[in-house]
Amino acid sequence: MSEQIYFSLYQEVPDYCVRIFQNAHWVLGNGVKLEVNIIGKSHRVTSRRGEDCLTEFITCFDQNLPEQALESVCLQPGIVHDREYRSGKLAYRVNIEHVSRVFNSMEEFTDSLDGISNTLKHEFMSAPGHPETPVPFTGLALNSDTNTFYTVHTYPERGISITSRTAIDLPVLSTAT
C-alpha cells in the first residue's frame, strides 16, 4: 500500500459525500459539540460552538476533496504535524504522527491514554494473510475533561499506525484597556 495519507482542516463542513461506517455525537467539557464519523479507513470530525465550525479529515488522497482547506498536509513518516489553528472563538491544536507500531485493538490504543470517556471504532476486513496479523481499524476516543479527542488508523500491511491528538480550547480574550 503506497497511498498517501492527508490531514485536512476546513472552516464549516465541506460539500463532500462520504460513506459513514460509524457515527457519534460527543460534547467536550467546554461545550464544543463534536460530530464524529468513521468514513472508510478515514475519519471526519466536525467541531461546533455557536457559529464557529471546523471540520477535520485524516484520509487517503482523494481528488474530490474540496480544495478550500485551511490546511491540507501529506503526513510523512518521521515528521510530526504539530500545529494550532484559530477560527472564530476556537483554538484548535492538533498533533499527528506515524507510529512504528500497529495497535492490535482499540483497547490497546486507549490503554495508552488517560481519562477516556467515549470511544468509536470500526474494523476492516483485510486480505487473507497471516492469522496473527491484526485486523486494520480506525478508532476515535474522547477525554471530555481535557477537551481532547484522539484518533488511530492502523495499517498492519505497512507496520504503522497514524495517531492524532486534538485539543479544542476557547481562548479568553483580554478586555482590559
Side-chain angles (χ1 to χ4, degrees), residues 41 124-129 133-136 156-157:
K41 291 186 179 180
F124 299 92
M125 301 315 292
S126 56
T133 302
V135 174
E157 69 281 6

Side-chain angles (χ1 to χ4, degrees), residues 1 41 122-137 154-158:
M1 177 177 169
K41 291 186 179 180
H122 188 78
E123 294 181 342
F124 299 92
M125 301 315 292
S126 56
H130 302 288
E132 65 276 358
T133 302
V135 174
F137 71 92
T154 64
Y155 299 92
E157 69 281 6
R158 293 164 114 175

Side-chain angles (χ1 to χ4, degrees), residues 104-124:
N104 291 312
S105 67
M106 185 65 178
E107 295 73 26
E108 184 179 339
F109 175 66
T110 57
D111 286 348
S112 70
L113 308 171
D114 290 324
I116 298 304
S117 53
N118 287 303
T119 62
L120 186 69
K121 77 167 184 177
H122 188 78
E123 294 181 342
F124 299 92

Side-chain angles (χ1 to χ4, degrees), residues 52-140:
D52 298 320
C53 177
L54 289 169
T55 302
E56 166 186 309
F57 289 86
I58 292 183
T59 185
C60 294
F61 175 74
D62 182 348
Q63 63 189 13
N64 296 321
L65 199 61
E67 294 179 6
Q68 313 86 308
L70 288 173
E71 182 86 82
S72 185
V73 175
C74 183
L75 303 171
Q76 300 292 328
I79 299 173
V80 176
H81 181 70
D82 190 7
R83 180 125 188 247
E84 181 173 314
Y85 305 89
R86 294 201 177 231
S87 179
K89 297 177 184 170
L90 299 178
Y92 197 91
R93 290 189 321 274
V94 65
N95 179 289
I96 309 166
E97 64 183 303
H98 280 246
V99 180
S100 297
R101 105 181 237 201
V102 176
F103 292 92
N104 291 312
S105 67
M106 185 65 178
E107 295 73 26
E108 184 179 339
F109 175 66
T110 57
D111 286 348
S112 70
L113 308 171
D114 290 324
I116 298 304
S117 53
N118 287 303
T119 62
L120 186 69
K121 77 167 184 177
H122 188 78
E123 294 181 342
F124 299 92
M125 301 315 292
S126 56
H130 302 288
E132 65 276 358
T133 302
V135 174
F137 71 92
T138 297
L140 295 102

